[in-house]
Amino acid sequence: MPAPLKVELIAPDALDAGLIARWHLLVDGNPDLVSPYFQPEFTQVAGAVTPGAQVAVMHRGGEIVGFFPHQRRGGAVQPLAAPLNDYHGVIALPDAGLGLEQVAELLKAPRLSVGGWVGAAAGGEVQSTVQAALPDGYEAWYAERRGTFGKYFKDKERARRSLEAELGPIRVESGLTDPDLLDHLIGLKREQYRRTGRHDVFACGWTRDVLHALMRDPRGRFGASMAALWGGDRLAALEVSLHGTDQWHFWFPAYEPSLARCSPGILLSLDTMRLASGNGWRVFDYGFQGEGYKKYFCNAERRIVEATVVRPGLARSVSRAAVGLLNVTGEGRGQRLSASVRRRWAAIEACEVTAGARLRGALSAARAAAAKLSPDPAAARP
């Protein structure tokens, strides 16, 4: 009979050289843990500025068998640095038997919410993230993609010529870490959140601090940086990426809305891949597969799970009652909206560290949900 699991909770800055070595050994032994988010350096750097950050160190028979970096928000446990954390799971070997439900039980969490879980999970919604794999480099990848989707890539080549004709010579730089440039990107993202009605994940402040900390503290093959595209003297597009081992994770893209017709964000992604591939990067992760353009870039995918594990009791009953109420008031639309509402609430809960701020965010989310449920008066006009 295997020895029982024991859990020790430590702060991210308590990860010493021995624990980091063990972490690297577990990551290297599990091919599912390839994302930069799973590197211990992400936990060290992001955890230093993330409120409520902890690392669960899991022991069995005197041996460390797993790590789980996380944060606490009231009664909820979430992946460390959520909602910025796109991939998460237990840092363990594949046969360790540490799935989502086991982690929730070990941490005695009233609620464990995950949006990009990698590993075993009994429930939840299975989704996919998509990647562009370039085993033979950028030129071979582009030739294959252009041959498969000729119309799309010819259109982007025309967009490049149009942007250059309008603004002047195109210049792309990568590996940028300038804090003022990062603040400009964050400002563009915040404007985008306001336009689209999404929760502003940078309004809380600490999420901005995470990006700045990652940008100024690269560690070996792990780090974060920006790429930027200019047309003449005008900055047209920016993107923050996270990178580690051979994985390049596109993270926060932004572009000048007035230049959308020239697809500056797409052009920047292409040039970032070309430059990074020349430096040995081979897998470019585009995250969730939602946006239509990603199908033209990506030739691989990964399975992840979105789920919430709730301990039996009032919280579970209230959650089910809320979905039922949406179904009643929305004539069956509750289930269709529940995923959207759940994701919005997860972002609010992760960002906001006080009950008052979470309440304000929840009220805003409720108003948005009610607007979706309400019929549009204009739709009934002849």
Side-chain angles (χ1 to χ4, degrees), residues 171-189:
R171 173 171 58 94
V172 172
E173 294 184 18
S174 63
L176 303 172
T177 59
D178 178 68
D180 292 335
L181 197 61
L182 177 56
D183 281 336
H184 179 69
L185 183 150
I186 290 171
L188 288 173
K189 292 302 294 184

Side-chain angles (χ1 to χ4, degrees), residues 169-231:
I170 290 177
R171 173 171 58 94
V172 172
E173 294 184 18
S174 63
L176 303 172
T177 59
D178 178 68
D180 292 335
L181 197 61
L182 177 56
D183 281 336
H184 179 69
L185 183 150
I186 290 171
L188 288 173
K189 292 302 294 184
R190 297 191 68 184
E191 289 176 11
Q192 178 188 346
Y193 296 144
R194 283 191 288 270
R195 288 196 309 272
T196 59
R198 294 175 59 190
H199 184 69
D200 181 355
V201 301
F202 292 114
C204 59
W206 70 263
T207 47
R208 172 191 174 276
D209 295 341
V210 167
L211 293 193
H212 276 277
L214 290 164
M215 202 73 64
R216 67 173 174 262
D217 193 5
R219 302 190 180 198
R221 194 75 168 150
F222 171 86
S225 65
M226 289 174 289
L229 181 148
W230 286 265

Side-chain angles (χ1 to χ4, degrees), residues 12-13 15 20 23-24 27 35-50 53 55 69-71 79-89 91 206-207 210-211 213-215 217-219 221-224 240-244 249 251-252:
D13 62 8
L15 290 167
I20 293 297
W23 191 310
H24 278 299
V27 167
S35 170
Y37 292 102
F38 294 120
Q39 296 299 316
E41 294 84 1
F42 176 80
T43 293
Q44 287 180 299
V45 178
V49 293
T50 298
V55 179
H70 60 280
Q71 64 192 30
L80 186 139
L84 308 184
N85 189 323
D86 292 342
Y87 288 112
H88 32 266
I91 309 302
W206 70 263
T207 47
V210 167
L211 293 193
L214 290 164
M215 202 73 64
D217 193 5
R219 302 190 180 198
R221 194 75 168 150
F222 171 86
V240 171
S241 295
L242 192 65
H243 25 83
H249 187 93
W251 205 4
F252 285 103

Side-chain angles (χ1 to χ4, degrees), residues 162-382:
S162 296
L163 185 63
E164 193 158 22
E166 180 176 344
L167 298 181
I170 290 177
R171 173 171 58 94
V172 172
E173 294 184 18
S174 63
L176 303 172
T177 59
D178 178 68
D180 292 335
L181 197 61
L182 177 56
D183 281 336
H184 179 69
L185 183 150
I186 290 171
L188 288 173
K189 292 302 294 184
R190 297 191 68 184
E191 289 176 11
Q192 178 188 346
Y193 296 144
R194 283 191 288 270
R195 288 196 309 272
T196 59
R198 294 175 59 190
H199 184 69
D200 181 355
V201 301
F202 292 114
C204 59
W206 70 263
T207 47
R208 172 191 174 276
D209 295 341
V210 167
L211 293 193
H212 276 277
L214 290 164
M215 202 73 64
R216 67 173 174 262
D217 193 5
R219 302 190 180 198
R221 194 75 168 150
F222 171 86
S225 65
M226 289 174 289
L229 181 148
W230 286 265
D233 295 328
R234 186 173 180 186
L235 181 61
L238 283 160
E239 181 149 23
V240 171
S241 295
L242 192 65
H243 25 83
T245 61
D246 68 343
Q247 305 279 315
W248 190 282
H249 187 93
F250 288 119
W251 205 4
F252 285 103
Y255 60 87
E256 292 294 341
S258 63
L259 298 173
R261 65 192 180 282
C262 296
S263 303
I266 296 293
L267 300 180
L268 177 59
S269 292
L270 287 167
D271 284 348
T272 300
M273 292 171 65
R274 176 178 54 81
L275 294 170
S277 175
N279 291 321
W281 302 97
R282 290 292 177 261
V283 179
F284 296 84
D285 199 313
Y286 280 79
F288 290 99
Q289 63 183 165
E291 295 91 341
Y293 76 89
K294 294 180 181 180
K295 73 177 182 181
Y296 301 109
F297 285 76
C298 297
N299 54 12
E301 65 178 36
R302 299 185 66 194
R303 172 191 176 276
I304 56 96
V305 174
E306 180 184 8
T308 300
V309 179
V310 183
R311 297 180 77 177
L314 177 62
R316 185 189 293 259
S317 301
V318 170
S319 174
R320 289 176 175 171
V323 173
L325 179 61
L326 282 172
N327 274 325
V328 170
T329 58
E331 298 179 354
R333 286 184 246 177
Q335 290 296 338
R336 294 197 297 274
L337 281 174
S338 62
S340 175
V341 171
R342 183 177 66 247
R343 289 169 191 148
R344 186 177 177 95
W345 169 246
I348 294 167
E349 188 175 43
C351 288
E352 309 303 342
V353 297
T354 68
R358 288 193 290 271
L359 176 59
R360 289 190 294 273
L363 290 173
S364 176
R367 286 192 293 269
K372 288 183 180 180
L373 289 170
S374 300
D376 181 1
R381 295 172 187 161

Side-chain angles (χ1 to χ4, degrees), residues 105-155:
E105 180 63 28
L106 286 168
L107 294 180
K108 303 186 185 311
R111 182 159 40 88
L112 173 59
S113 298
V114 297
W117 181 265
V118 175
E125 181 180 348
V126 177
Q127 298 190 46
S128 293
T129 61
V130 289
Q131 300 79 38
L134 283 62
D136 301 316
Y138 178 82
E139 298 302 333
W141 169 86
Y142 189 78
E144 185 276 324
R145 293 280 99 183
R146 196 178 189 279
T148 304
F149 301 107
K151 184 177 183 300
Y152 179 83
F153 284 98
K154 288 177 184 176
D155 177 69

